[in-house]
Amino acid sequence: MKKFFNIKRSKNNHDAQFMDSIMEKHNISFRDIDFKHTEIDTLNAYQKLNKSIELNKPKRLYSPIADFNWHPFLKPAYTVILTTIVLLTILFFRKETDKKHYAEIIVEKGEKIKLNVNEDLTIWINSESYVKIPTNGKIGKEIFIEGEAFVETSLANTKEYSIISGNTICTIKNGAFNIKTDPMQIIATVTKGTVEFYNTNLPKSTQITLAGKDKATLFKKHDFIAIETEKNSNYLYWKTGILKFENTNLTEVAKTITEFFNIPIQVNNTELKDLKFSATFENPEIDDILDKIQSTINCQIAGDGSKLLIN
């Protein structure tokens, strides 16, 4: 039989090698195959061989993990995972909500607006000015102003509003004040109530309390603050539209007109500089004021191309 099998192997060496590998793999001897029996015996031998192969297959190792019932533990685990996801989502959106969002208002040259921020806070914004206000419930934390604005709170107000202009912070609760900024200085003038004026470049202990008609001027170059009483009754002309002069010398009148109309006016005649001028104007044009000056004071006003001269 073995000889016969070797003959078969010599005819087809590739198939013989393949057969050898199977026999060796499953630890089966050649004596298990008998080619001398009948067809039925051969079939039985094949079945026996096949059974031997099946019995010699490596058995699956028992795994307690694979057979363990995980269902009682999976539901709580899913609950914990879902709860964690929900909490993280809530924290994320709360963080997004806590971020400060602002509305920006820019007033063009020649315009001015009145802004009712809420029932307790109103801001008048002058020409060529900029205001940035929180829009997500953070009002009172930070309101930024560049240019000129008048801030007023109601008497019933209970919040503190922090007005930030450059490196200054004006904190107000009940009152009103005017804030004006330019490249050289920042001026805060209190109309009523009190305002805490603070330069962020200086220690917190340097905070100043301003009361009615107090004027604080921060000179940016030197971080120096000057406190005085506001003597110019027309500093709110841009808001009220009223210019009022009461025995004001002509030099001061010319300065006021220059500031509010942005047209340079100079008293050229030294004898006229200390003359007093009294008049009240409501929403005037500059020509209305100049005509009144000429008719009240015996003088002439003419231009030289760059400014107006009072002679």
Side-chain angles (χ1 to χ4, degrees):
M1 178 185 64
K2 190 171 182 181
K3 182 179 180 181
F4 173 80
F5 193 79
N6 288 334
I7 294 171
K8 290 289 184 181
R9 283 206 305 171
S10 64
K11 291 183 177 180
N12 193 335
N13 190 55
H14 176 74
D15 291 341
Q17 289 178 354
F18 178 70
M19 189 65 182
D20 284 345
S21 65
I22 293 177
M23 300 285 283
E24 183 178 354
K25 180 178 180 181
H26 296 285
N27 194 26
I28 298 172
S29 173
F30 285 103
R31 69 174 62 93
D32 294 325
I33 303 175
D34 188 356
F35 293 98
K36 294 182 180 180
H37 292 284
T38 64
E39 183 177 335
I40 295 176
D41 291 334
T42 303
L43 178 61
N44 290 334
Y46 170 77
Q47 290 175 344
K48 182 180 178 182
L49 176 62
N50 188 58
K51 186 176 180 180
S52 298
I53 293 174
E54 290 295 326
L55 289 174
N56 282 278
K57 281 185 178 180
K59 295 183 179 180
R60 182 174 66 89
L61 295 176
Y62 170 73
S63 174
I65 296 176
D67 294 335
F68 189 78
N69 183 10
W70 291 97
H71 292 289
F73 298 92
L74 289 177
K75 187 174 181 180
Y78 290 149
T79 302
V80 171
I81 293 171
L82 290 174
T83 303
T84 302
I85 292 172
V86 170
L87 288 175
L88 290 174
T89 303
I90 292 172
L91 291 174
F92 172 78
F93 282 109
R94 180 176 294 176
K95 183 179 179 182
E96 288 296 309
T97 303
D98 288 342
K99 287 182 179 180
K100 297 173 184 176
H101 301 282
Y102 295 91
E104 298 181 347
I105 299 97
I106 300 174
V107 182
E108 301 295 335
K109 184 176 182 179
E111 303 292 332
K112 58 183 178 181
I113 66 171
K114 178 183 178 182
L115 184 64
N116 295 311
V117 179
N118 57 36
E119 60 182 7
D120 293 318
L121 178 64
T122 304
I123 302 177
W124 285 262
I125 310 171
N126 198 6
S127 171
E128 297 183 282
S129 299
Y130 166 85
V131 174
K132 187 168 73 170
I133 301 175
T135 58
N136 60 334
K138 299 296 181 182
I139 292 174
K141 299 277 185 174
E142 296 175 341
I143 298 176
F144 296 86
I145 295 177
E146 293 296 332
E148 187 169 22
F150 184 81
V151 181
E152 184 173 22
T153 61
S154 69
L155 294 175
N157 176 58
T158 58
K159 298 179 181 179
E160 284 192 344
Y161 296 94
S162 297
I163 311 301
I164 301 174
S165 298
N167 57 307
T168 65
I169 300 176
C170 294
T171 305
I172 184 171
K173 185 175 180 180
N174 299 110
F177 75 104
N178 192 74
I179 186 77
K180 184 177 182 180
T181 69
D182 62 43
M184 302 298 295
Q185 59 190 11
I186 300 172
I187 303 172
T189 306
V190 179
T191 302
K192 61 180 179 180
T194 59
V195 172
E196 300 296 329
F197 186 85
Y198 171 55
N199 177 7
T200 57
N201 288 340
L202 300 177
K204 185 70 174 178
S205 59
T206 61
Q207 179 172 289
I208 301 168
T209 300
L210 304 175
K213 292 191 176 182
D214 280 346
K215 173 183 176 182
T217 303
L218 169 66
F219 298 94
K220 295 181 179 180
K221 185 176 181 180
H222 304 289
D223 268 333
F224 174 75
I225 301 174
I227 309 296
E228 60 184 324
T229 300
E230 179 60 81
K231 297 176 182 177
N232 180 8
S233 59
N234 295 311
Y235 73 94
L236 282 180
Y237 163 72
W238 70 268
K239 172 183 173 288
T240 64
I242 297 175
L243 272 178
K244 188 174 182 179
F245 301 102
E246 293 181 345
N247 290 321
T248 307
N249 65 58
L250 200 55
T251 301
E252 189 64 30
V253 172
K255 181 181 177 181
T256 300
I257 297 172
T258 297
E259 182 176 354
F260 290 115
F261 292 97
N262 199 28
I263 299 175
I265 299 178
Q266 179 180 320
V267 180
N268 203 39
N269 188 335
T270 56
E271 295 180 0
L272 300 176
K273 289 184 177 181
D274 294 328
L275 290 180
K276 305 299 181 180
F277 176 74
S278 297
T280 300
F281 304 92
E282 186 171 351
N283 297 316
E285 298 290 338
I286 188 171
D287 290 340
D288 299 333
I289 302 174
L290 297 179
D291 289 344
K292 184 66 175 179
I293 291 174
Q294 288 186 107
S295 63
T296 304
I297 299 174
N298 188 17
C299 65
Q300 296 294 323
I301 301 176
D304 68 350
S306 60
K307 58 183 175 294
L308 295 175
L309 300 174
I310 301 178
N311 292 298

